[in-house]
Amino acid sequence: MSRRDAPEAGVEDDVATASRRRPVVLMTMWRRPLDTYVSDATDLYTLAAEYVASVRESGGVPVLLPHVEVDDVPAVLDAVDALVVCGGGDVDPSSYGAEPIDVHDNDPDADRVELAVLAEARARDLPTLAICRGMQLLNVAYGGDLRQDVTAPGSPHPPIPAPAEVLAMRHDVTVAEGSRLAGVFGPGRRVANAIHHQGVGRVGEGLVVTARADDEVVEALEPVDWPRCLAVQWHPEKIYATDRPLFDWLVGTAKGTSE
């Protein structure tokens, strides 16, 4: 039974409960082999703890999504109020009709499931925040493609350094006036991180670029036909102190879904 098919008994109590209920936020996961006590390549679903912490701190209830059957996606989305399509491995080039040139940790099955999730969320105008890989998948979902490597020495996106250094990398992005993103942060310059080596290539039909880095790499996208969707290339969960407004926007928008 869907949460929206609850019995009608006790209507006043139901309304009061709904007004207090925290929105449930679904988050995609990264399936990959990792070293554990049982194997040096244990097949695990993973998600960085910062995603969960960011949703919780902004008032949402985080729920994690493994790779489900595509036919089960509508039932899964019936049970939630918002979606975060999280970072992870590279989008497989087969998902946008290209040959592999420079890809890592790509998983066509992950693409298949998450593209189905995006399609269903789009049909429902489900409040959605797409982050890094999530933004790249959104572009693919709208018929765009990807640049398999955007890094260049001396640019805002230098070659990815050692893990201890990558979290400290920062660069400016320019947010377009009049965009949804400007409604969250304000227009103009702001600072983002750079934990990616791929980026948007041909922009999908129906998507608007709403932020770019100084090297012209696309840093944010917004779908014209999906008013409650924002997508950013950087990782706001890693810089929650400054980027909390994105998660506040998602949870705040979702409250209209849950009430």
Side-chain angles (χ1 to χ4, degrees):
M1 181 177 68
S2 165
R3 289 162 8 121
R4 296 171 180 80
D5 296 329
E8 295 181 0
V11 172
E12 291 183 1
D13 289 343
D14 288 348
V15 170
T17 299
S19 67
R20 293 191 301 267
R21 184 172 62 74
R22 298 167 65 196
V24 176
V25 181
L26 187 69
M27 291 180 287
T28 60
M29 301 174 72
W30 185 359
R31 183 177 180 178
R32 51 183 170 161
L34 294 174
D35 185 14
T36 68
Y37 285 116
V38 296
S39 171
D40 59 1
T42 306
D43 190 13
L44 299 175
Y45 284 104
T46 68
L47 185 69
E50 294 98 331
Y51 287 107
V52 172
S54 297
V55 167
R56 291 182 64 185
E57 186 67 23
S58 288
V61 178
V63 175
L64 308 188
L65 178 67
H67 297 167
V68 298
E69 295 297 326
V70 168
D71 290 345
D72 292 332
V73 167
V76 170
L77 295 191
D78 280 346
V80 303
D81 305 302
L83 170 68
V84 181
V85 186
C86 301
D90 291 347
V91 178
D92 192 89
S94 66
S95 296
Y96 49 91
E99 293 296 321
I101 299 171
D102 188 355
V103 294
H104 309 282
D105 299 316
N106 47 309
D107 181 353
D109 185 59
D111 296 357
R112 179 180 59 84
V113 174
E114 292 170 19
L115 285 169
V117 169
L118 279 167
E120 184 67 21
R122 174 186 181 184
R124 298 170 182 235
D125 188 25
L126 188 70
T128 296
L129 175 60
I131 294 173
C132 196
R133 164 185 163 84
M135 188 183 87
Q136 295 168 9
L137 274 173
L138 181 74
N139 191 54
V140 171
Y142 276 78
D145 64 13
L146 302 182
R147 296 169 58 188
Q148 293 185 33
D149 187 45
V150 299
T151 64
S155 78
H157 296 88
I160 301 295
E165 301 172 9
V166 69
L167 288 176
M169 291 172 56
R170 299 287 188 273
H171 65 274
D172 286 348
V173 302
T174 301
V175 178
E177 291 189 15
S179 63
R180 292 171 211 157
L181 193 61
V184 173
F185 288 128
R189 307 278 281 185
R190 65 176 291 102
V191 176
N193 51 22
I195 313 175
H196 65 104
H197 79 103
Q198 296 199 324
V200 168
R202 184 183 70 255
V203 176
E205 185 175 354
L207 294 175
V208 177
V209 176
T210 55
R212 288 186 186 271
D214 290 345
D215 57 0
E216 294 301 311
V217 167
V218 174
E219 294 283 347
L221 292 172
E222 296 174 12
V224 174
D225 67 344
W226 188 353
R228 298 193 292 183
C229 177
L230 285 174
V232 296
Q233 181 57 69
W234 69 90
H235 280 264
E237 80 285 357
K238 301 288 188 187
I239 47 175
Y240 183 78
T242 58
D243 280 23
R244 173 174 183 155
L246 269 176
F247 292 94
D248 288 350
W249 168 84
L250 179 71
V251 174
T253 303
K255 285 182 178 178
T257 304
S258 65
E259 295 174 356

